[in-house]
Structure formats: structure tokens, C-alpha cells
Amino acid sequence: MLPWKRVLRPLAALLLTAAAVTVPAATAEAAGAPNSGWNDYSCKPSAAHPRPVVLVHGTLGNSVDNWLGLAPYLKVRGYCVFSLDYGQLEGVPFFHGLGPVEKSAGQLKDFVGKVLAATGAAETDVVGHSQGGMMPRYYLKFLGGAATVNALVGIAPSNHGTTLSGFTRLLPYFPGAADLLSKNTPALADQVTGSAFLAKLNAGGDTVPGVRYTVIATRYDEVVTPWRSQYLTGPGVRNVLLQDLCPVDLSEHVAIGLLDRVAFHEVANALDPARARPTTCASAFE
């Protein structure tokens, strides 16, 4: 007979997945169609949530698909929520975040300015998935973003690059492959462990003063590897492993940003630490 843990673990994971799929739909229905969207430039931040939230998608993502779970989750909780498309390549629809990361950071700067002007807020909070959790750090460090960003929450962010489970280590064995990658998909090249871009980004420390940083990682990440490379060091940093909050959560790189309500709960805690409540497996059903 199988040990109880080996039986219960898959069952718990199945329940968490079911919650991720069904609870958001029920919540959106309860909230009503007019309030279930985002990118509403008439939205004015409340006293409880005085800063608009800007969502930054990952590589090959876009401003809608990446946030079908998290945007309604935050909107229903009273936040003004906005998302942008960035890093577009000519002739490539829907799949964005492929252009040079430095240029994408400039697009984020412009978008944050637009959001602040529309909402009247002095600061924003930024939540990003994958590249979207790393790229804003360039904005904070080199483009003056620290003056207008209160907190950065990275979900499975590529903060120190990725080996893609070891695949990128094979590039030197294929002459011209690295140059081809850099020419056709600059953002991918920028995120390879050891890239010139990452050396510049992380030189002198991971953080800048005045910004709170949260990293939410999963040990099952197969895209940003090794997963510990996602963590930041420095003042104002909180690194969180999803499985420390819910041991049976099996979310990998895509699921943690797209539908994992345990991760979403921890995002909400990072945005409003004064009202934070413990994140557990049960958070998937809230």
C-alpha cells in the first residue's frame, strides 16, 4: 500500500488546480461584468489601496493573456489595475517581450507615467512575471523608476538569468547560435545567464533604495533555472518559495503566474503588507 503522503500529495495538487480554475470565475461573476476588467483609466485609487498596480507580462506574453487570473483577482479586491504590452517585434503579433530589455524598460517608464497621470497617484506598485519581474529593475536602477515605484513583486523573475535547464550551456558548441539569438530575439539573449545586459543590471547590487522587493519562486520552475537565481539580495527584499507556503503546490513557471491563487494571495500580501494574512494551501479557495 502506498504511504499516505504519496497518495495525498497528488490529490491536494488536484484540488488546488480545481480551485484555481473555478474560484476566479465565481469571483468575477459575483463582482459583475462592469467591475471585472482592468486598464480602466477612469479608476481612482482608494484610501485602502492608494497606488495603482501595473502588471508586466513575461517573454512571449502579452497584456491580456498573462493576466487573466491575477488582474481580476486584484481588481475585485479594490485595486486599480493596468497592464502593458512591451518588447514587440515587427511582424510578430500577440507574442511580445522579445525586444531588447533596455528598450522595454523605457516602454514601462512611459506606461507608468501614463497611469500616474490618469489616476492622480504619486506612486505605483509593479507586479511582473518572468522577464516582467526582472525588466522593471532596469527602470528602477537606470531610468528614474525608484521615484515613482513603491514596490516591485516578481513572480518567477529572471533576475540573474537562466540556463533553461542547462540548454543555454550548449550555445558555445553551435557556432553563430548566440549571435542569431541576439539578433532575432534580443530579450532571450539578454536573459541568458552571464549576458552583458545582466552584468550591467546586477553590478553594484540587486536593489535600489526606497523600493520594496518581493520575489515569489517555485522549485518546479523549468524556465528560469536554477530557481534560486530568481532571488534578490539587499535591503527591502523578501524572497518567498511557493512550496514553503503550500508544500503540495506543483505550479511550474507558467502556472505560478497564470492561475496559482496561492501565489496571488502572496502578491496581495506584498502589495499591502499592513493587512497581510498568512498564505497557506487554503488561500487557493479564498
Side-chain angles (χ1 to χ4, degrees):
M1 185 174 180
L2 290 173
W4 279 111
K5 285 186 178 180
R6 293 180 61 185
V7 175
L8 293 176
R9 184 183 178 92
L11 178 59
L14 179 62
L15 289 172
L16 286 172
T17 302
V21 174
T22 60
V23 176
T27 303
E29 183 178 355
N35 298 320
S36 61
W38 67 98
N39 277 340
D40 175 6
Y41 285 89
S42 67
C43 184
K44 299 300 179 183
S46 65
H49 302 302
R51 293 176 298 274
V53 177
V54 171
L55 302 178
V56 188
H57 65 75
T59 308
L60 296 172
N62 61 60
S63 61
V64 176
D65 293 348
N66 210 141
W67 305 118
L68 291 174
L70 182 57
Y73 183 95
L74 295 176
K75 181 73 176 177
V76 165
R77 283 157 179 77
Y79 288 91
C80 292
V81 182
F82 301 86
S83 63
L84 77 157
D85 287 305
Y86 71 88
Q88 300 93 328
L89 293 182
E90 185 176 355
V92 182
F94 308 116
F95 302 104
H96 303 316
L98 293 170
V101 178
E102 290 187 17
K103 183 177 179 181
S104 295
Q107 292 178 278
L108 174 61
K109 176 183 178 179
D110 292 343
F111 187 79
V112 168
K114 178 182 177 182
V115 168
L116 294 180
T119 60
E123 289 184 311
T124 186
D125 290 324
V126 176
V127 180
H129 178 223
S130 194
Q131 180 190 167
M134 174 274 293
M135 176 270 280
R137 292 179 50 226
Y138 191 93
Y139 164 50
L140 298 179
K141 195 169 188 177
F142 298 108
L143 302 180
T148 54
V149 175
N150 168 72
L152 171 61
V153 184
I155 305 172
S158 52
N159 281 320
H160 297 96
T162 177
T163 67
L164 275 178
S165 298
F167 175 77
T168 59
R169 297 192 184 105
L170 300 177
L171 289 176
Y173 297 97
F174 296 89
D179 291 339
L180 186 65
L181 187 71
S182 180
K183 179 180 179 181
N184 291 284
T185 53
L188 296 181
D190 285 345
Q191 292 177 87
V192 171
T193 301
S195 72
F197 169 80
L198 289 169
K200 177 181 178 180
L201 176 64
N202 294 314
D206 292 345
T207 63
V208 296
V211 179
R212 291 188 294 106
Y213 296 81
T214 301
V215 172
I216 305 171
T218 172
R219 68 168 70 253
Y220 302 114
D221 200 313
E222 78 289 17
V223 175
V224 179
T225 59
W227 64 263
R228 287 183 178 83
S229 69
Q230 300 171 23
Y231 282 176
L232 297 171
T233 59
V237 170
R238 182 168 182 261
N239 295 310
V240 180
L241 180 63
L242 189 62
Q243 285 72 36
D244 286 342
L245 306 175
C246 178
V248 297
D249 195 318
L250 304 180
S251 288
E252 40 64 71
H253 185 78
V254 174
I256 190 177
L258 187 62
L259 53 80
D260 193 310
R261 289 174 63 87
V262 177
F264 294 173
H265 189 274
E266 194 60 19
V267 168
N269 281 347
L271 294 176
D272 191 1
R275 297 180 178 86
R277 294 177 291 108
T279 301
T280 66
C281 295
S283 301
F285 301 93
E286 294 182 6

